[in-house]
């Protein structure tokens, strides 16, 4: 019995010695070397925990949660608005054109709007005005759309969306003159932007949503 107890004591003492030697032989690590004190830390990712993989740029990314406008009608009107005003509903340019789509007061009267101040502060009315004006232009240019879409004028393929964009810029009469002269009689606005530029830049959008309407009104 005494021998058994003595064996246990010797074993315990041996284990304690080995543990002590093991810890004493390791190099002490100075964690202060890894401190961030004094460093300028720049974080480029938001700390918002709700961010997920759906938060992506929409240019070309097809995602169920992100509307990809592409060549849709909404894509058409938003691209045109960006060119006109950078999409700003409340801007007035140096020539007096108003809002997101840069309407002149004369054009507004044609579609039933006689209060420019109210128009400028009402985004919903501006959207209605764009639809009404485009419907009116499509009715005026219906024969030219039928006769010229698919043809090439001055190296530019004529499309319906290009015609409607040019009509927004220059008015349907100027576009009709341009098409029927096969590009000989063109138009430029007060900033030097031409019918040809709009015909090319806004080519190929789907504007079938718009139905020609001679009496289209925003109000």
């Amino acid at each position: 019995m005494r021998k058994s107890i003595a064996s246990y004591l010797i074993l315990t003492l041996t284990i304690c010695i080995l543990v002590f030697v093991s810890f004493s032989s390791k190099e002490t690590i100075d964690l202060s070397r890894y401190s961030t004190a004094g460093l300028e830390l720049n974080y480029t990712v938001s700390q918002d925990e709700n961010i997920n993989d759906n938060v992506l740029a929409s240019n070309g990314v097809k995602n169920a949660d992100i509307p990809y406008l592409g060549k849709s009608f909404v894509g058409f009107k938003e691209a045109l608005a960006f060119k006109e005003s950078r999409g700003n509903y409340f801007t007035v340019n140096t020539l007096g054109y108003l809002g997101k789509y840069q309407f002149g007061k004369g054009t507004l009267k044609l579609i039933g709007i006689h209060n420019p101040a109210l128009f400028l502060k009402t985004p919903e009315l501006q959207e209605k005005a764009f639809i009404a004006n485009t419907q009116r232009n499509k009715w005026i240019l219906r024969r030219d759309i039928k006769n010229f879409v698919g043809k090439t004028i001055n190296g530019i393929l004529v499309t319906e969306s290009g015609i409607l964009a040019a009509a927004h810029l220059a008015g349907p009469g100027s576009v009709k003159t341009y098409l029927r002269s096969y590009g000989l009689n063109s138009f430029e606005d007060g900033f030097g932007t031409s019918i040809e530029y709009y015909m090319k830049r806004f080519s190929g959008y789907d504007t079938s949503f718009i139905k020609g309407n001679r009496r289209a009104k925003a109000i």
Side-chain angles (χ1 to χ4, degrees):
M1 184 68 176
R2 291 179 179 178
K3 289 183 180 179
S4 178
I5 294 173
S7 298
Y8 281 121
L9 288 174
I10 293 171
L11 179 61
T12 301
L13 180 62
T14 302
I15 292 173
C16 290
I17 292 172
L18 290 174
V19 170
F20 174 79
V21 171
S22 174
F23 277 105
S24 64
S25 64
K26 288 186 177 179
E27 179 183 357
T28 301
I29 300 174
D30 181 9
L31 296 178
S32 66
R33 290 185 301 167
Y34 302 97
S35 171
T36 58
L39 295 179
E40 184 176 345
L41 303 177
N42 295 312
Y43 296 98
T44 58
V45 178
S46 169
Q47 298 301 304
D48 187 348
E49 63 182 7
N50 294 321
I51 290 179
N52 56 47
D53 291 338
N54 290 330
V55 183
L56 301 170
S58 62
N59 54 337
V61 178
K62 295 183 179 180
N63 186 290
D65 298 323
I66 301 173
Y68 175 60
L69 301 180
K71 289 291 186 176
S72 67
F73 175 74
V74 176
F76 169 72
K77 75 181 187 67
E78 293 303 319
L80 188 57
F82 188 80
K83 176 64 178 69
E84 292 286 340
S85 70
R86 295 298 188 268
N88 186 348
Y89 284 108
F90 310 107
T91 189
V92 181
N93 77 3
T94 56
L95 300 177
Y97 288 86
L98 307 165
K100 179 179 177 179
Y101 301 100
Q102 294 290 279
F103 277 99
K105 294 178 181 178
T107 300
L108 291 178
K109 289 179 181 179
L110 291 174
I111 55 177
I113 298 173
H114 301 277
N115 188 336
L118 175 64
F119 172 80
L120 189 62
K121 65 182 182 181
T122 312
E124 184 177 336
L125 182 56
Q126 293 187 34
E127 295 296 336
K128 290 180 179 179
F130 180 79
I131 297 297
N133 187 57
T134 308
Q135 288 175 326
R136 181 175 177 275
N137 289 339
K138 189 168 182 175
W139 186 86
I140 295 171
L141 292 162
R142 64 195 185 283
R143 292 190 181 91
D144 299 277
I145 290 171
K146 180 179 179 180
N147 294 331
F148 288 96
V149 166
K151 294 183 179 179
T152 300
I153 297 178
N154 293 337
I156 298 170
L157 178 65
V158 179
T159 66
E160 181 178 286
S161 62
I163 289 175
L164 294 177
H168 184 85
L169 171 76
S174 295
V175 175
K176 188 178 292 188
T177 299
Y178 171 83
L179 292 171
R180 295 183 184 185
S181 70
Y182 284 85
L184 294 178
N185 295 318
S186 191
F187 167 92
E188 292 183 355
D189 71 0
F191 298 104
T193 305
S194 69
I195 284 177
E196 287 186 346
Y197 176 78
Y198 264 44
M199 292 271 287
K200 183 176 181 179
R201 177 157 184 170
F202 300 104
S203 173
Y205 286 87
D206 180 5
T207 51
S208 60
F209 167 82
I210 294 295
K211 306 302 179 185
N213 184 352
R214 181 182 183 180
R215 298 182 177 84
K217 301 292 182 184
I219 295 178

